[in-house]
């Protein structure tokens, strides 16, 4: 809810526990053209009404959420059962484990927990002869940007065009004097691609905050007199100048995506050049996605339209995903 | 230069412990947003903090802990110090308080001290935590309190507001208070109107720099969102907080889409300005030059009023 429906973390305390499978189709509001299936904590694979084979076959990534603040031994057992079953049906699936609610833990405790879970999960897999099954682990919390960062990484692994996007970004920033650029999904603030320079969490957070400002201000002043139109549209753009020569520059790329760049004030003086380069970049991005849509139509149910499923164990009343 | 010889003028924020002053101050002065204040503990002992704003004003928050005897002692020994050079006294009452008599007693002690040391001070009473009162009771209870307070305050006059940190009433009350502290505010508004009309802006907002409270505004037509002042304040304060994590602060902002263009920029030494244009075809550079030129004009206004302001209040 926090990532894809803009809920503030405090409001999630009032979300009810997931009792049945909840399918969330966010393909209309977000670039992430996925369906998110939220499973209740206690899932019974032997229940005949639950056709897990069908579900897993069309799945690109499975996110298993473990509550770090709770005893996770049972969670690990269920994790093992779940991924083994899924792997049998679809060995191409990505398996992602979110070690969640880490906001309450100290840094040492976080690292220790991750190490322990990683160790145990992989031991279980080796014992079962499933060494080829790869698990990725992420420490997450809805109270900071880590959950957004984790979702970003999970989504990026599913985007076939990622290398092309990264390449385009690299070319763009090196020719425009830009330090860092993120291609953001505006609604969820997940970034689907960035250039090859290292990602610094603080920069990512600053860009997220900029998107908040832009959308919020646009909601107040950016609608037409009768209330129609949308806050984020084709002409959306923003420039924020900080007192330490940093400039943040946001430009609309598609109706879901925005490019957020970080650069120096002196580089920004060549705004004309930057805007021209951006124009070329934007055109290229549109072409990349048009190709993607065309090939998808031909190949029907390929894993490019991936279904991401999130299985929450220990379905406590605080269901944060 | 003459300026710095004048002692800074005080805004006193007082009230019984637990009445909500610290949260209030934190929210208005951009340190926390409403839900973070749950983490603030009850103030023990005597806490004094101050914030500068509007150039030469200092907000002094005196919070004396729960112990009654301590409060009384502190009062008598430090009274004159505390109550000198006071422009404004803001007194906060917890609407749910079980000790109404005592609250009024302390309030009156403060008034006596004000009468002796700063008789020209403006008095504002905030009847706070109104969210805890049932909705249909609120008007009635507030009217009762207001009558009592006005009566008790004589010969001094007080203006009362009902407030809560959970809605826009707090923001509106503080905006009104700050508005009354601005010297020659009518002249400022007239200049703002001229400026807005010349540059063909839809709306122009003037913010106080530390709090981002809207202290003056001009609009040429009805705007859809009546709560936009508080929203904009919060949006900007939120972003300011994010920047401060990187030990930076923002200087200016431009936001556009196909229906509008908004510019936020440092204006004078005490203010920020926000200009909203509904004709996005006007190039940014034009508006930015206009703002830059207006800045010089408004700076002059502020400088002229400065020393005069302190003289007027004595």
């Amino acid at each position: 809810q926090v990532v894809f429906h803009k809920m503030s973390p405090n409001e999630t305390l009032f979300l009810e526990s997931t009792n049945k499978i909840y399918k969330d189709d966010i393909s209309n509001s977000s670039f992430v053209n996925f369906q998110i299936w939220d499973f209740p904590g206690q899932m019974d694979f032997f229940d005949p009404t639950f056709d897990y084979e069908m579900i897993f076959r069309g799945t690109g990534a499975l996110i298993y959420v473990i509550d770090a603040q709770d005893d996770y031994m049972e969670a690990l057992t269920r994790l093992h059962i779940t991924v083994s079953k899924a792997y049998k049906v679809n060995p191409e699936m990505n398996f992602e484990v979110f070690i969640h609610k880490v906001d309450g833990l100290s840094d040492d405790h976080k690292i220790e927990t991750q190490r322990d879970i990683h160790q145990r999960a992989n031991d279980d897999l080796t014992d079962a002869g499933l060494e080829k099954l790869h698990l990725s682990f992420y420490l997450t919390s809805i109270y900071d940007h880590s959950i957004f960062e984790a979702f970003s990484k999970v989504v990026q692994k599913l985007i076939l065009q990622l290398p092309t996007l990264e390449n385009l970004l690299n070319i763009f920033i090196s020719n425009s004097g830009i330090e860092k650029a993120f291609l953001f999904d505006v609604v969820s603030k997940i970034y689907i691609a960035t250039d090859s320079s290292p990602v610094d969490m603080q920069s990512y957070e600053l860009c997220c905050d900029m998107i908040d400002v832009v959308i919020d201000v646009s909601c107040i002043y950016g609608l037409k007199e009768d209330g129609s139109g949308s806050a984020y549209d084709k002409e959306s753009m923003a420039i924020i100048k900080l007192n330490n020569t940093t400039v943040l520059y946001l430009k609309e790329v598609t109706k879901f995506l925005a490019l957020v760049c970080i650069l120096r004030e002196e580089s920004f003086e060549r705004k004309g050049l930057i805007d021209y380069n951006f124009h070329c970049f934007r055109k290229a991005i549109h072409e990349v996605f048009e190709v993607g849509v065309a090939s998808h139509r031909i190949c029907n149910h390929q894993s490019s339209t991936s279904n991401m499923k999130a299985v929450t164990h220990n379905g406590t009343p605080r269901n944060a995903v | 230069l003459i300026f710095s010889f004048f002692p800074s003028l005080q805004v006193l924020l007082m009230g019984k412990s637990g009445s909500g002053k610290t949260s209030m101050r934190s929210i208005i002065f951009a340190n926390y947003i409403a839900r973070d204040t749950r983490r603030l503990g009850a103030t023990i002992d005597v806490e004094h903090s101050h914030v500068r704003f509007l150039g030469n004003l200092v907000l002094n928050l005196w919070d004396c802990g729960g112990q009654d005897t301590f409060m009384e002692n502190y009062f008598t020994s430090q009274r004159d110090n505390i109550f000198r050079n006071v422009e404004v006294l803001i007194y906060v009452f917890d609407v749910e308080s079980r000790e109404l008599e005592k609250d009024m007693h302390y309030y009156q002690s403060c008034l006596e001290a004000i009468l002796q040391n700063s008789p020209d001070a403006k008095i504002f009473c905030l009847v706070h935590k109104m969210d805890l009162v049932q909705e249909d009771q609120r008007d009635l209870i507030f009217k009762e309190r207001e009558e009592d307070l006005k009566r008790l305050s004589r010969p001094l006059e007080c203006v009362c507001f009902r407030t809560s940190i959970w809605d826009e009433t707090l923001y509106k009350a503080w905006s009104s208070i700050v508005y009354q502290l601005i010297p020659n505010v009518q002249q400022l508004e007239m200049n703002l109107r001229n400026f807005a009309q010349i540059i063909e802006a839809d709306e122009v907002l003037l913010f106080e720099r530390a709090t981002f409270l809207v202290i003056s505004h001009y609009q040429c037509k009805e705007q859809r969102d009546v709560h936009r002042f508080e929203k904009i304040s919060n949006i900007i304060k939120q972003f300011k907080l994010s920047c401060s994590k990187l030990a930076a602060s923002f200087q200016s902002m431009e936001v556009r889409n196909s229906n509008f263009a908004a510019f936020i920029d440092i204006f004078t030494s005490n203010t920020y300005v926000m200009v909203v244009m509904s004709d996005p075809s006007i190039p940014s550079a034009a508006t930015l030059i206009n703002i830059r030129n207006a800045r010089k004009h408004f700076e002059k206004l502020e400088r002229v009023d400065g020393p005069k302001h302190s003289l007027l209040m004595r």
Side-chain angles (χ1 to χ4, degrees):
Chain A
Q1 289 284 47
V2 168
V3 175
F4 293 102
H5 293 284
K6 252 193 125 103
M7 187 180 282
S8 96
N10 281 12
E11 289 171 43
T12 64
L13 293 175
F14 303 108
L15 283 176
E16 283 169 14
S17 169
T18 314
N19 294 329
K20 48 185 179 27
I21 300 174
Y22 170 63
K23 204 161 62 146
D24 194 359
D25 191 342
I26 48 176
S27 47
N28 285 332
S29 57
S30 159
F31 168 80
V32 181
N33 190 11
F34 302 136
Q35 290 176 343
I36 299 185
W37 294 47
D38 197 353
F39 285 81
Q42 317 301 351
M43 242 176 42
D44 184 4
F45 286 107
F46 301 107
D47 180 353
T49 60
F50 172 55
D51 187 357
Y52 67 89
E53 272 202 40
M54 178 208 68
I55 296 173
F56 288 154
R57 203 157 308 194
T59 302
L62 187 142
I63 302 176
Y64 195 87
V65 184
I66 295 182
D67 183 342
Q69 291 184 7
D70 212 343
D71 172 25
Y72 47 75
M73 293 311 289
E74 209 197 312
L76 278 169
T77 314
R78 298 202 137 258
L79 166 66
H80 181 79
I81 298 176
T82 310
V83 301
S84 318
K85 288 235 182 298
Y87 182 75
K88 263 204 221 128
V89 175
N90 183 354
E92 301 301 314
M93 208 189 294
N94 292 336
F95 294 102
E96 325 278 2
V97 181
F98 283 9
I99 302 172
H100 196 46
K101 302 193 195 171
V102 294
D103 41 282
L105 306 177
S106 69
D107 282 342
D108 286 341
H109 196 181
K110 277 187 216 174
I111 297 173
E112 188 47 45
T113 306
Q114 180 170 2
R115 213 190 47 78
D116 190 38
I117 293 180
H118 189 125
Q119 186 82 46
R120 290 181 189 273
N122 283 328
D123 285 347
D124 287 347
L125 289 173
T126 314
D127 289 345
L130 292 167
E131 302 87 355
K132 283 221 200 98
L133 209 173
H134 177 73
L135 295 169
S136 302
F137 295 88
Y138 307 83
L139 293 168
T140 60
S141 159
I142 54 173
Y143 289 101
D144 61 32
H145 284 84
S146 58
I147 185 70
F148 294 94
E149 172 79 3
F151 264 111
S152 295
K153 298 230 172 75
V154 169
V155 167
Q156 280 167 37
K157 280 158 85 170
L158 295 170
I159 296 175
L160 298 175
Q161 305 97 330
L162 190 61
T164 311
L165 299 178
E166 285 177 349
N167 209 15
L168 282 170
L169 282 167
N170 285 333
I171 297 172
F172 172 63
I173 70 163
S174 62
N175 285 321
S176 313
I178 291 174
E179 288 181 356
K180 188 83 191 127
F182 293 95
L183 194 58
F184 270 95
D185 171 46
V186 171
V187 161
S188 64
K189 290 180 290 187
I190 287 177
Y191 69 93
I192 66 158
T194 183
D195 61 271
S196 330
S197 69
V199 175
D200 152 38
M201 273 301 276
Q202 283 188 333
S203 304
Y204 169 64
E205 288 176 19
L206 189 61
C207 293
C208 286
D209 295 333
M210 179 185 192
I211 293 178
D212 281 338
V213 171
V214 173
I215 300 298
D216 290 342
V217 172
S218 301
C219 282
I220 297 177
Y221 290 108
L223 304 175
K224 292 211 240 296
E225 288 210 18
D226 54 5
S228 69
S230 58
Y232 180 71
D233 67 16
K234 271 213 206 94
E235 307 292 321
S236 282
M237 174 279 255
I239 302 169
I240 299 185
K241 294 193 180 166
L242 303 184
N243 68 343
N244 58 0
T245 76
T246 306
V247 176
L248 301 170
Y249 192 26
L250 183 152
K251 293 275 264 175
E252 181 267 7
V253 177
T254 75
K255 71 172 168 160
F256 301 125
L257 301 176
L259 186 71
V260 183
C261 307
I262 303 177
L263 58 153
R264 298 289 114 213
E265 188 147 23
E266 48 184 20
S267 306
F268 197 63
E269 276 164 30
R270 300 183 307 163
K271 185 169 179 287
L273 172 67
I274 297 174
D275 285 343
Y276 176 72
N277 286 341
F278 175 76
H279 173 77
C280 302
F281 169 80
R282 188 176 180 275
K283 206 155 81 98
I285 296 282
H286 277 251
E287 279 170 25
V288 168
F289 288 133
E290 268 158 48
V291 170
V293 166
S295 69
H296 158 69
R297 268 191 230 121
I298 297 169
C299 312
N300 235 344
H301 269 300
Q302 289 240 312
S303 51
S304 55
T305 335
S306 328
N307 286 345
M308 268 187 358
K309 316 265 166 89
V311 181
T312 314
H313 182 76
N314 289 345
T316 50
R318 296 162 175 236
N319 186 335
V321 176
Chain B
L1 287 162
I2 306 169
F3 221 72
S4 53
F5 291 1
F6 283 87
S8 53
L9 303 163
Q10 292 198 82
V11 175
L12 284 188
L13 179 59
M14 295 190 115
K16 198 181 68 169
S17 168
S19 52
K21 302 183 301 301
T22 316
S23 318
M24 199 186 275
R25 193 255 344 236
S26 299
I27 291 165
I28 297 291
F29 287 86
N31 295 325
Y32 300 100
I33 45 175
R35 58 173 185 261
D36 283 338
T37 63
R38 270 191 248 121
R39 294 195 211 144
L40 297 171
T43 316
I44 320 170
D45 213 338
V46 172
E47 198 184 274
H48 169 229
S49 59
H50 66 275
V51 179
R52 285 197 155 274
F53 73 116
L54 268 182
N56 64 334
L57 286 173
V58 178
L59 177 82
N60 272 308
L61 184 148
W62 288 96
D63 198 352
C64 310
Q67 294 97 327
D68 301 329
T69 45
F70 188 89
M71 181 165 173
E72 276 163 22
N73 289 340
Y74 197 77
F75 241 55
T76 40
S77 63
Q78 298 288 336
R79 228 167 81 132
D80 294 339
N81 270 344
I82 299 174
F83 290 95
R84 207 176 313 212
N85 289 326
V86 174
E87 279 290 302
V88 165
L89 168 67
I90 303 174
Y91 205 91
V92 183
F93 296 92
D94 178 347
V95 71
E96 289 239 305
S97 166
R98 302 286 163 96
E99 309 176 301
L100 276 178
E101 287 238 359
K102 210 190 275 181
D103 294 347
M104 295 305 179
H105 172 66
Y106 285 141
Y107 174 58
Q108 284 184 304
S109 313
C110 289
L111 288 185
E112 275 166 39
I114 288 280
L115 211 47
Q116 281 190 354
N117 295 286
S118 307
D120 295 326
K122 296 197 177 99
I123 319 271
F124 297 95
C125 295
L126 302 186
V127 180
H128 193 48
K129 301 195 191 173
M130 286 300 288
D131 49 283
L132 298 173
V133 174
Q134 257 183 307
E135 203 159 346
D136 52 359
Q137 302 269 334
R138 285 179 198 165
D139 283 340
L140 189 63
I141 294 192
F142 174 66
K143 276 216 167 53
E144 275 180 24
R145 296 291 163 89
E146 188 178 29
E147 277 174 20
D148 289 340
L149 287 168
K150 281 192 183 291
R151 189 174 24 96
L152 285 169
S153 305
R154 290 202 210 107
L156 292 165
E157 290 195 17
C158 74
V159 175
C160 300
F161 294 97
R162 37 175 276 204
T163 59
S164 158
I165 59 175
W166 297 105
D167 63 31
E168 77 283 359
T169 52
L170 179 66
Y171 181 85
K172 278 214 185 103
W174 275 84
S175 269
S176 309
I177 294 172
V178 171
Y179 180 86
Q180 297 189 37
L181 291 172
I182 300 180
N184 292 353
V185 68
Q186 268 92 5
Q187 189 185 23
L188 187 66
E189 287 189 319
M190 200 171 63
N191 278 280
L192 210 65
R193 175 181 300 130
N194 289 341
F195 169 55
Q197 286 173 341
I198 291 171
I199 66 172
E200 297 178 43
D202 260 36
E203 182 155 82
V204 178
L205 305 180
L206 203 61
F207 299 96
E208 192 280 323
R209 213 159 146 155
T211 61
F212 263 89
L213 287 169
V214 175
I215 55 183
S216 181
H217 86 281
Y218 163 82
Q219 63 190 90
C220 73
K221 58 177 160 122
E222 275 301 308
Q223 286 281 344
R224 272 177 39 252
D225 190 343
V226 282
H227 298 309
R228 63 193 184 284
F229 295 163
E230 186 187 8
K231 286 184 187 170
I232 294 282
S233 275
N234 284 335
I235 291 166
I236 299 178
K237 277 194 285 194
Q238 192 65 35
F239 190 71
K240 265 178 79 166
L241 267 174
S242 310
C243 290
S244 65
K245 277 193 252 167
L246 299 163
S249 63
F250 94 91
Q251 248 173 6
S252 66
M253 261 190 223
E254 176 180 341
V255 182
R256 287 176 166 272
N257 73 9
S258 57
N259 298 318
F260 85 112
F263 303 84
I264 302 175
D265 210 337
I266 296 178
F267 207 42
T268 66
S269 46
N270 297 325
T271 60
Y272 263 80
V273 71
M274 176 167 179
V275 173
V276 183
M277 316 283 286
S278 62
D279 181 358
S281 69
I282 296 176
S284 308
T287 311
L288 291 170
I289 289 178
N290 284 332
I291 294 177
R292 196 187 344 141
N293 290 337
R295 189 179 283 142
K296 298 187 200 132
H297 176 77
F298 278 84
E299 277 278 15
K300 256 192 254 160
L301 272 180
E302 216 173 84
R303 242 180 288 139
V304 165
D305 292 333
K308 216 200 281 169
H309 165 72
S310 9
L311 287 171
L312 277 173
M313 293 311 293
R314 294 294 128 231

